[in-house]
Amino acid sequence: MPSKEIKNFAIIGDPVAHTLSPKMQKAAFTAGGFPNYNYIPVPIPVGRLMLTVDGFKGLEFRGFNVTIPHKTNIIKYLDSVDPDAKIIGAVNTVVNDGGMMTGYNTDVTGFLAALSEADFMAEECNAVILGAGGAARAVAWGLCKRKAGFITVGARNGEKAKKFAADFEKFGSIAGYDWTEEEFKENLQSADILINTTPLGMYPEVDAMPPVDLKLLPEGALVYDIIYNPAKTKFLQTAEELGFPTLNGMSMLLLQGREACRLFTGHIPDVDIMRRVVKQELNSQNREIDKEK
Ligand code: NAP
């Protein structure tokens, strides 16, 4: 019997016009028996976070998601932060328990669940991450939690990659490089998994890809692109042509959303329903972008 109760949820960010979360979470709520749960995108500029958190408390919103550019800054306005989110340094989901605001990072849960779905055993693996931004931090922490053997981080900015690696040194074996360095290329030759966390190749810039020679990878290495639009980036297409198994970012997106829904409602939603809605929404957004070109 569907619940008649009304609860309110939101996503905050700047911009939020194209976020998939409202459609994805609303589908999850309805399928889970909560048709009266509302979920709205709220554009919030930098500098208004404290007022926003207080506003959601006052309006008794049950929770909200957080996207660019607030994922790090939101932390100082919350009452507590889950240990994963603290280590990653970013929150993408906030739950309001009677005025107590707790922050979580569901990207790490989504990333690890997607690896499990793909039957990839991260324990003792040699992993190479491309990019050193926010998503890379969730990926690196996920790999540390799974006790990966060695993590190599390669980025266009070697200094950033080195600083990134220093942040995770106490949790596992990790090193950062400019991705043109010889040592980075050597590490590619023993990688069990290569993960792109840069936006290179994301719709509509579909001809771009990270400047990495995939031929250096050993046979059987999993090539993973956390981009979900398009479903097959040039990076994944090239890897497939070379015979490597591949994985795109759709599972991570859906499984981080599933975890957010679980935190909001206590209910684990059907991911296939979420997948259908997200694919429809992506197709319609891509058509809009094409029309504007
Ligand atoms: P971010 O914090 O801005 O980090 C992006 C990283 O990519 C940085 O290291 C940045 O380098 C690098 N980069 C950006 N443009 C580049 C370019 N033209 N050439 C080389 N490197 C470049 O972004 P994020 O939040 O980590 O998100 C990154 C990607 O992950 C996006 O495509 C996003 O959609 C995707 N994502 C997917 C999921 C999922 O659920 N599947 C979840 C989160 C994110 P600099 O620091 O030098 O700028």
Side-chain angles (χ1 to χ4, degrees), residues 131-135 156 160 179 197-200 202 226 228 249 252-253:
R156 63 177 168 186
K160 270 195 188 168
W179 56 27
T197 74
T198 76
L200 288 164
M202 200 162 78
I226 70 164
Y228 46 82
M252 177 173 168
L253 173 75

Side-chain angles (χ1 to χ4, degrees), residues 75-228:
I75 290 177
K76 55 178 170 290
Y77 303 111
L78 301 176
D79 299 296
S80 64
V81 175
D82 158 84
D84 281 350
K86 202 174 269 176
I87 290 169
I88 294 163
V91 157
N92 71 348
T93 303
V94 177
V95 177
N96 178 6
D97 270 313
M100 288 294 290
M101 296 292 201
T102 305
Y104 299 87
N105 187 304
T106 67
D107 278 342
V108 63
T109 320
F111 168 70
L112 289 176
L115 278 191
S116 300
E117 262 193 11
D119 286 330
F120 181 83
M121 304 294 288
E123 290 76 9
E124 301 294 323
C125 77
N126 283 332
V128 178
I129 302 174
L130 303 175
R137 293 184 72 86
V139 166
W141 174 232
L143 291 167
C144 290
K145 280 182 85 164
R146 282 282 183 281
K147 309 235 173 308
F150 195 84
I151 303 168
T152 301
V153 182
R156 63 177 168 186
N157 181 330
E159 285 314 305
K160 270 195 188 168
K162 285 177 184 29
K163 184 174 175 314
F164 180 106
D167 287 348
F168 286 92
E169 249 167 26
K170 52 184 172 296
F171 305 116
S173 302
I174 183 165
Y177 302 95
D178 176 320
W179 56 27
T180 58
E181 278 179 65
E182 278 315 308
E183 218 171 324
F184 173 77
K185 292 180 188 165
E186 272 165 34
N187 289 5
L188 272 180
Q189 294 170 36
S190 58
D192 300 299
I193 183 168
L194 170 66
I195 308 154
N196 175 40
T197 74
T198 76
L200 288 164
M202 200 162 78
Y203 199 85
E205 311 297 336
V206 294
D207 289 330
M209 67 178 268
V212 169
D213 185 359
L214 294 172
K215 290 196 199 81
L216 292 173
L217 290 172
E219 201 184 320
L222 176 64
V223 179
Y224 185 179
D225 197 334
I226 70 164
I227 290 173
Y228 46 82

